[in-house]
PDB file of all heavy atoms in Angstrom:
ATOM      1  N   VAL A 268      87.978 169.622 106.372  1.00 98.00           N
ATOM      2  CA  VAL A 268      88.098 170.980 105.841  1.00 98.00           C
ATOM      3  C   VAL A 268      89.514 171.503 106.074  1.00 98.00           C
ATOM      4  O   VAL A 268      90.158 172.059 105.181  1.00 98.00           O
ATOM      5  CB  VAL A 268      87.057 171.930 106.448  1.00 98.00           C
ATOM      6  CG1 VAL A 268      87.367 173.386 106.086  1.00 98.00           C
ATOM      7  CG2 VAL A 268      85.655 171.585 105.966  1.00 98.00           C
ATOM      8  N   ALA A 269      90.007 171.337 107.299  1.00 98.00           N
ATOM      9  CA  ALA A 269      91.351 171.825 107.638  1.00 98.00           C
ATOM     10  C   ALA A 269      92.405 171.174 106.745  1.00 98.00           C
ATOM     11  O   ALA A 269      93.334 171.844 106.274  1.00 98.00           O
ATOM     12  CB  ALA A 269      91.649 171.581 109.109  1.00 98.00           C
ATOM     13  N   GLN A 270      92.274 169.870 106.528  1.00 98.00           N
ATOM     14  CA  GLN A 270      93.268 169.153 105.716  1.00 98.00           C
ATOM     15  C   GLN A 270      93.329 169.683 104.300  1.00 98.00           C
ATOM     16  O   GLN A 270      94.420 169.924 103.760  1.00 98.00           O
ATOM     17  CB  GLN A 270      92.928 167.652 105.693  1.00 98.00           C
ATOM     18  CG  GLN A 270      93.264 166.924 106.984  1.00 98.00           C
ATOM     19  CD  GLN A 270      94.748 166.870 107.244  1.00 98.00           C
ATOM     20  OE1 GLN A 270      95.543 166.501 106.380  1.00 98.00           O
ATOM     21  NE2 GLN A 270      95.153 167.221 108.448  1.00 98.00           N
ATOM     22  N   THR A 271      92.190 169.857 103.658  1.00 98.00           N
ATOM     23  CA  THR A 271      92.207 170.219 102.247  1.00 98.00           C
ATOM     24  C   THR A 271      92.346 171.738 101.999  1.00 98.00           C
ATOM     25  O   THR A 271      92.799 172.139 100.937  1.00 98.00           O
ATOM     26  CB  THR A 271      90.968 169.676 101.518  1.00 98.00           C
ATOM     27  OG1 THR A 271      89.790 170.103 102.189  1.00 98.00           O
ATOM     28  CG2 THR A 271      91.019 168.157 101.462  1.00 98.00           C
ATOM     29  N   ALA A 272      91.964 172.539 102.987  1.00 98.00           N
ATOM     30  CA  ALA A 272      92.142 173.995 102.837  1.00 98.00           C
ATOM     31  C   ALA A 272      93.499 174.454 103.363  1.00 98.00           C
ATOM     32  O   ALA A 272      93.892 175.598 103.152  1.00 98.00           O
ATOM     33  CB  ALA A 272      91.035 174.744 103.590  1.00 98.00           C
ATOM     34  N   GLY A 273      94.240 173.575 104.045  1.00 97.00           N
ATOM     35  CA  GLY A 273      95.550 173.939 104.567  1.00 97.00           C
ATOM     36  C   GLY A 273      95.477 174.858 105.753  1.00 97.00           C
ATOM     37  O   GLY A 273      96.222 175.829 105.843  1.00 97.00           O
ATOM     38  N   ILE A 274      94.578 174.522 106.685  1.00 98.00           N
ATOM     39  CA  ILE A 274      94.340 175.390 107.846  1.00 98.00           C
ATOM     40  C   ILE A 274      94.834 174.709 109.126  1.00 98.00           C
ATOM     41  O   ILE A 274      94.526 173.553 109.371  1.00 98.00           O
ATOM     42  CB  ILE A 274      92.850 175.701 107.975  1.00 98.00           C
ATOM     43  CG1 ILE A 274      92.328 176.445 106.749  1.00 98.00           C
ATOM     44  CG2 ILE A 274      92.572 176.511 109.247  1.00 98.00           C
ATOM     45  CD1 ILE A 274      90.807 176.559 106.717  1.00 98.00           C
ATOM     46  N   THR A 275      95.581 175.436 109.941  1.00 98.00           N
ATOM     47  CA  THR A 275      95.820 175.046 111.312  1.00 98.00           C
ATOM     48  C   THR A 275      94.641 175.575 112.120  1.00 98.00           C
ATOM     49  O   THR A 275      94.431 176.781 112.188  1.00 98.00           O
ATOM     50  CB  THR A 275      97.133 175.646 111.836  1.00 98.00           C
ATOM     51  OG1 THR A 275      98.210 175.181 111.050  1.00 98.00           O
ATOM     52  CG2 THR A 275      97.358 175.262 113.296  1.00 98.00           C
ATOM     53  N   LEU A 276      93.885 174.655 112.721  1.00 98.00           N
ATOM     54  CA  LEU A 276      92.568 175.007 113.299  1.00 98.00           C
ATOM     55  C   LEU A 276      92.465 174.491 114.708  1.00 98.00           C
ATOM     56  O   LEU A 276      92.633 173.292 114.965  1.00 98.00           O
ATOM     57  CB  LEU A 276      91.486 174.397 112.404  1.00 98.00           C
ATOM     58  CG  LEU A 276      90.025 174.550 112.822  1.00 98.00           C
ATOM     59  CD1 LEU A 276      89.642 176.027 112.955  1.00 98.00           C
ATOM     60  CD2 LEU A 276      89.112 173.849 111.828  1.00 98.00           C
ATOM     61  N   HIS A 277      92.211 175.403 115.648  1.00 99.00           N
ATOM     62  CA  HIS A 277      92.023 175.059 117.048  1.00 99.00           C
ATOM     63  C   HIS A 277      90.596 175.392 117.450  1.00 99.00           C
ATOM     64  O   HIS A 277      90.160 176.551 117.305  1.00 99.00           O
ATOM     65  CB  HIS A 277      93.003 175.836 117.922  1.00 99.00           C
ATOM     66  CG  HIS A 277      94.441 175.469 117.709  1.00 99.00           C
ATOM     67  ND1 HIS A 277      95.167 174.817 118.673  1.00 99.00           N
ATOM     68  CD2 HIS A 277      95.251 175.608 116.652  1.00 99.00           C
ATOM     69  CE1 HIS A 277      96.411 174.610 118.220  1.00 99.00           C
ATOM     70  NE2 HIS A 277      96.470 175.081 116.988  1.00 99.00           N
ATOM     71  N   ILE A 278      89.884 174.398 117.951  1.00 98.00           N
ATOM     72  CA  ILE A 278      88.489 174.565 118.341  1.00 98.00           C
ATOM     73  C   ILE A 278      88.333 174.108 119.770  1.00 98.00           C
ATOM     74  O   ILE A 278      88.680 172.978 120.113  1.00 98.00           O
ATOM     75  CB  ILE A 278      87.543 173.768 117.426  1.00 98.00           C
ATOM     76  CG1 ILE A 278      87.577 174.331 115.997  1.00 98.00           C
ATOM     77  CG2 ILE A 278      86.106 173.750 117.971  1.00 98.00           C
ATOM     78  CD1 ILE A 278      86.804 173.524 114.981  1.00 98.00           C
ATOM     79  N   GLU A 279      87.795 174.977 120.618  1.00 98.00           N
ATOM     80  CA  GLU A 279      87.577 174.645 122.011  1.00 98.00           C
ATOM     81  C   GLU A 279      86.159 175.007 122.440  1.00 98.00           C
ATOM     82  O   GLU A 279      85.686 176.126 122.151  1.00 98.00           O
ATOM     83  CB  GLU A 279      88.529 175.429 122.915  1.00 98.00           C
ATOM     84  CG  GLU A 279      90.009 175.130 122.742  1.00 98.00           C
ATOM     85  CD  GLU A 279      90.824 176.047 123.625  1.00 98.00           C
ATOM     86  OE1 GLU A 279      91.067 175.672 124.794  1.00 98.00           O
ATOM     87  OE2 GLU A 279      91.183 177.144 123.161  1.00 98.00           O
ATOM     88  N   LEU A 280      85.506 174.093 123.120  1.00 98.00           N
ATOM     89  CA  LEU A 280      84.288 174.410 123.813  1.00 98.00           C
ATOM     90  C   LEU A 280      84.670 174.813 125.230  1.00 98.00           C
ATOM     91  O   LEU A 280      85.214 174.007 125.994  1.00 98.00           O
ATOM     92  CB  LEU A 280      83.350 173.196 123.873  1.00 98.00           C
ATOM     93  CG  LEU A 280      82.125 173.363 124.783  1.00 98.00           C
ATOM     94  CD1 LEU A 280      81.194 174.459 124.253  1.00 98.00           C
ATOM     95  CD2 LEU A 280      81.388 172.031 124.918  1.00 98.00           C
ATOM     96  N   LEU A 281      84.484 176.087 125.577  1.00 98.00           N
ATOM     97  CA  LEU A 281      84.831 176.562 126.896  1.00 98.00           C
ATOM     98  C   LEU A 281      83.811 176.104 127.929  1.00 98.00           C
ATOM     99  O   LEU A 281      84.167 175.697 129.026  1.00 98.00           O
ATOM    100  CB  LEU A 281      84.986 178.084 126.893  1.00 98.00           C
ATOM    101  CG  LEU A 281      86.072 178.610 125.943  1.00 98.00           C
ATOM    102  CD1 LEU A 281      86.158 180.113 126.015  1.00 98.00           C
ATOM    103  CD2 LEU A 281      87.418 177.980 126.259  1.00 98.00           C
ATOM    104  N   TYR A 282      82.541 176.193 127.571  1.00 98.00           N
ATOM    105  CA  TYR A 282      81.474 175.613 128.369  1.00 98.00           C
ATOM    106  C   TYR A 282      80.175 175.635 127.580  1.00 98.00           C
ATOM    107  O   TYR A 282      80.077 176.319 126.564  1.00 98.00           O
ATOM    108  CB  TYR A 282      81.280 176.358 129.712  1.00 98.00           C
ATOM    109  CG  TYR A 282      81.288 177.863 129.627  1.00 98.00           C
ATOM    110  CD1 TYR A 282      80.149 178.585 129.263  1.00 98.00           C
ATOM    111  CD2 TYR A 282      82.451 178.583 129.951  1.00 98.00           C
ATOM    112  CE1 TYR A 282      80.161 179.960 129.202  1.00 98.00           C
ATOM    113  CE2 TYR A 282      82.455 179.977 129.882  1.00 98.00           C
ATOM    114  CZ  TYR A 282      81.296 180.657 129.516  1.00 98.00           C
ATOM    115  OH  TYR A 282      81.316 182.014 129.454  1.00 98.00           O
ATOM    116  N   GLY A 283      79.214 174.850 128.047  1.00 98.00           N
ATOM    117  CA  GLY A 283      77.932 174.758 127.375  1.00 98.00           C
ATOM    118  C   GLY A 283      77.277 173.422 127.670  1.00 98.00           C
ATOM    119  O   GLY A 283      77.942 172.442 127.971  1.00 98.00           O
ATOM    120  N   THR A 284      75.958 173.389 127.586  1.00 98.00           N
ATOM    121  CA  THR A 284      75.209 172.157 127.897  1.00 98.00           C
ATOM    122  C   THR A 284      74.300 171.721 126.770  1.00 98.00           C
ATOM    123  O   THR A 284      74.099 170.532 126.570  1.00 98.00           O
ATOM    124  CB  THR A 284      74.387 172.337 129.184  1.00 98.00           C
ATOM    125  OG1 THR A 284      73.511 173.470 129.037  1.00 98.00           O
ATOM    126  CG2 THR A 284      75.283 172.538 130.409  1.00 98.00           C
ATOM    127  N   ASN A 285      73.749 172.649 126.034  1.00 98.00           N
ATOM    128  CA  ASN A 285      72.800 172.320 124.958  1.00 98.00           C
ATOM    129  C   ASN A 285      73.593 171.950 123.710  1.00 98.00           C
ATOM    130  O   ASN A 285      74.371 172.753 123.186  1.00 98.00           O
ATOM    131  CB  ASN A 285      71.872 173.503 124.702  1.00 98.00           C
ATOM    132  CG  ASN A 285      70.859 173.217 123.615  1.00 98.00           C
ATOM    133  OD1 ASN A 285      71.199 173.193 122.432  1.00 98.00           O
ATOM    134  ND2 ASN A 285      69.621 173.009 124.002  1.00 98.00           N
ATOM    135  N   ASN A 286      73.399 170.735 123.201  1.00 98.00           N
ATOM    136  CA  ASN A 286      74.197 170.240 122.087  1.00 98.00           C
ATOM    137  C   ASN A 286      74.017 171.051 120.808  1.00 98.00           C
ATOM    138  O   ASN A 286      74.961 171.247 120.057  1.00 98.00           O
ATOM    139  CB  ASN A 286      73.892 168.753 121.844  1.00 98.00           C
ATOM    140  CG  ASN A 286      74.499 167.869 122.928  1.00 98.00           C
ATOM    141  OD1 ASN A 286      75.607 167.392 122.799  1.00 98.00           O
ATOM    142  ND2 ASN A 286      73.745 167.660 123.999  1.00 98.00           N
ATOM    143  N   HIS A 287      72.803 171.495 120.535  1.00 98.00           N
ATOM    144  CA  HIS A 287      72.561 172.331 119.361  1.00 98.00           C
ATOM    145  C   HIS A 287      73.347 173.646 119.493  1.00 98.00           C
ATOM    146  O   HIS A 287      74.021 174.066 118.547  1.00 98.00           O
ATOM    147  CB  HIS A 287      71.056 172.631 119.246  1.00 98.00           C
ATOM    148  CG  HIS A 287      70.654 173.349 118.009  1.00 98.00           C
ATOM    149  ND1 HIS A 287      69.638 172.912 117.190  1.00 98.00           N
ATOM    150  CD2 HIS A 287      71.113 174.476 117.416  1.00 98.00           C
ATOM    151  CE1 HIS A 287      69.496 173.728 116.164  1.00 98.00           C
ATOM    152  NE2 HIS A 287      70.390 174.702 116.299  1.00 98.00           N
ATOM    153  N   HIS A 288      73.301 174.239 120.661  1.00 98.00           N
ATOM    154  CA  HIS A 288      74.037 175.495 120.886  1.00 98.00           C
ATOM    155  C   HIS A 288      75.538 175.279 120.735  1.00 98.00           C
ATOM    156  O   HIS A 288      76.248 176.123 120.193  1.00 98.00           O
ATOM    157  CB  HIS A 288      73.720 176.054 122.271  1.00 98.00           C
ATOM    158  CG  HIS A 288      72.306 176.497 122.450  1.00 98.00           C
ATOM    159  ND1 HIS A 288      71.766 176.805 123.680  1.00 98.00           N
ATOM    160  CD2 HIS A 288      71.316 176.671 121.536  1.00 98.00           C
ATOM    161  CE1 HIS A 288      70.509 177.155 123.530  1.00 98.00           C
ATOM    162  NE2 HIS A 288      70.206 177.081 122.246  1.00 98.00           N
ATOM    163  N   ILE A 289      76.030 174.162 121.263  1.00 98.00           N
ATOM    164  CA  ILE A 289      77.463 173.875 121.174  1.00 98.00           C
ATOM    165  C   ILE A 289      77.911 173.809 119.717  1.00 98.00           C
ATOM    166  O   ILE A 289      78.875 174.434 119.320  1.00 98.00           O
ATOM    167  CB  ILE A 289      77.794 172.564 121.907  1.00 98.00           C
ATOM    168  CG1 ILE A 289      77.645 172.760 123.423  1.00 98.00           C
ATOM    169  CG2 ILE A 289      79.202 172.086 121.566  1.00 98.00           C
ATOM    170  CD1 ILE A 289      77.659 171.448 124.206  1.00 98.00           C
ATOM    171  N   CYS A 290      77.187 173.039 118.915  1.00 98.00           N
ATOM    172  CA  CYS A 290      77.563 172.879 117.507  1.00 98.00           C
ATOM    173  C   CYS A 290      77.464 174.198 116.760  1.00 98.00           C
ATOM    174  O   CYS A 290      78.391 174.582 116.012  1.00 98.00           O
ATOM    175  CB  CYS A 290      76.670 171.834 116.864  1.00 98.00           C
ATOM    176  SG  CYS A 290      77.187 171.361 115.190  1.00 98.00           S
ATOM    177  N   GLU A 291      76.397 174.933 116.990  1.00 98.00           N
ATOM    178  CA  GLU A 291      76.196 176.184 116.258  1.00 98.00           C
ATOM    179  C   GLU A 291      77.221 177.232 116.669  1.00 98.00           C
ATOM    180  O   GLU A 291      77.736 177.984 115.832  1.00 98.00           O
ATOM    181  CB  GLU A 291      74.783 176.711 116.472  1.00 98.00           C
ATOM    182  CG  GLU A 291      74.421 177.817 115.538  1.00 98.00           C
ATOM    183  CD  GLU A 291      72.920 178.016 115.385  1.00 98.00           C
ATOM    184  OE1 GLU A 291      72.144 177.042 115.527  1.00 98.00           O
ATOM    185  OE2 GLU A 291      72.525 179.174 115.122  1.00 98.00           O
ATOM    186  N   ALA A 292      77.556 177.280 117.948  1.00 98.00           N
ATOM    187  CA  ALA A 292      78.583 178.233 118.397  1.00 98.00           C
ATOM    188  C   ALA A 292      79.923 177.931 117.749  1.00 98.00           C
ATOM    189  O   ALA A 292      80.654 178.841 117.357  1.00 98.00           O
ATOM    190  CB  ALA A 292      78.702 178.192 119.928  1.00 98.00           C
ATOM    191  N   ILE A 293      80.260 176.650 117.618  1.00 98.00           N
ATOM    192  CA  ILE A 293      81.524 176.263 116.983  1.00 98.00           C
ATOM    193  C   ILE A 293      81.535 176.681 115.517  1.00 98.00           C
ATOM    194  O   ILE A 293      82.518 177.265 115.038  1.00 98.00           O
ATOM    195  CB  ILE A 293      81.770 174.753 117.149  1.00 98.00           C
ATOM    196  CG1 ILE A 293      82.119 174.427 118.603  1.00 98.00           C
ATOM    197  CG2 ILE A 293      82.859 174.274 116.197  1.00 98.00           C
ATOM    198  CD1 ILE A 293      82.121 172.949 118.918  1.00 98.00           C
ATOM    199  N   TYR A 294      80.460 176.403 114.788  1.00 98.00           N
ATOM    200  CA  TYR A 294      80.421 176.779 113.369  1.00 98.00           C
ATOM    201  C   TYR A 294      80.451 178.278 113.185  1.00 98.00           C
ATOM    202  O   TYR A 294      81.111 178.784 112.268  1.00 98.00           O
ATOM    203  CB  TYR A 294      79.196 176.150 112.705  1.00 98.00           C
ATOM    204  CG  TYR A 294      79.449 174.787 112.111  1.00 98.00           C
ATOM    205  CD1 TYR A 294      79.374 173.654 112.878  1.00 98.00           C
ATOM    206  CD2 TYR A 294      79.829 174.669 110.772  1.00 98.00           C
ATOM    207  CE1 TYR A 294      79.626 172.399 112.344  1.00 98.00           C
ATOM    208  CE2 TYR A 294      80.088 173.424 110.232  1.00 98.00           C
ATOM    209  CZ  TYR A 294      80.006 172.284 111.016  1.00 98.00           C
ATOM    210  OH  TYR A 294      80.265 171.049 110.476  1.00 98.00           O
ATOM    211  N   LYS A 295      79.757 179.011 114.021  1.00 98.00           N
ATOM    212  CA  LYS A 295      79.763 180.476 113.888  1.00 98.00           C
ATOM    213  C   LYS A 295      81.124 181.042 114.247  1.00 98.00           C
ATOM    214  O   LYS A 295      81.600 181.991 113.619  1.00 98.00           O
ATOM    215  CB  LYS A 295      78.668 181.075 114.769  1.00 98.00           C
ATOM    216  CG  LYS A 295      77.264 180.848 114.235  1.00 98.00           C
ATOM    217  CD  LYS A 295      76.210 181.432 115.149  1.00 98.00           C
ATOM    218  CE  LYS A 295      74.821 181.304 114.563  1.00 98.00           C
ATOM    219  NZ  LYS A 295      73.762 181.768 115.477  1.00 98.00           N
ATOM    220  N   GLY A 296      81.788 180.456 115.241  1.00 98.00           N
ATOM    221  CA  GLY A 296      83.129 180.893 115.578  1.00 98.00           C
ATOM    222  C   GLY A 296      84.103 180.622 114.425  1.00 98.00           C
ATOM    223  O   GLY A 296      84.945 181.466 114.104  1.00 98.00           O
ATOM    224  N   PHE A 297      83.977 179.443 113.827  1.00 99.00           N
ATOM    225  CA  PHE A 297      84.810 179.111 112.669  1.00 99.00           C
ATOM    226  C   PHE A 297      84.569 180.112 111.543  1.00 99.00           C
ATOM    227  O   PHE A 297      85.503 180.603 110.896  1.00 99.00           O
ATOM    228  CB  PHE A 297      84.504 177.693 112.223  1.00 99.00           C
ATOM    229  CG  PHE A 297      85.228 177.249 110.993  1.00 99.00           C
ATOM    230  CD1 PHE A 297      86.617 177.308 110.912  1.00 99.00           C
ATOM    231  CD2 PHE A 297      84.537 176.743 109.884  1.00 99.00           C
ATOM    232  CE1 PHE A 297      87.295 176.871 109.768  1.00 99.00           C
ATOM    233  CE2 PHE A 297      85.198 176.328 108.750  1.00 99.00           C
ATOM    234  CZ  PHE A 297      86.582 176.396 108.697  1.00 99.00           C
TER     235      PHE A 297
END
């Protein structure tokens, strides 16, 4: 997505244990 939309994109997981929550938090943050 970043490549074709021309976005400089920084994604960090600060903390978390549940994999579903991790993925969903990243997508909602994006």
Side-chain angles (χ1 to χ4, degrees):
V268 169
Q270 285 294 311
T271 53
I274 298 170
T275 299
L276 177 58
H277 293 248
I278 294 173
E279 296 176 89
L280 171 65
L281 299 181
Y282 45 82
T284 56
N285 181 285
N286 287 268
H287 187 129
H288 294 168
I289 290 168
C290 188
E291 192 160 330
I293 288 169
Y294 269 85
K295 287 178 176 177
F297 177 56

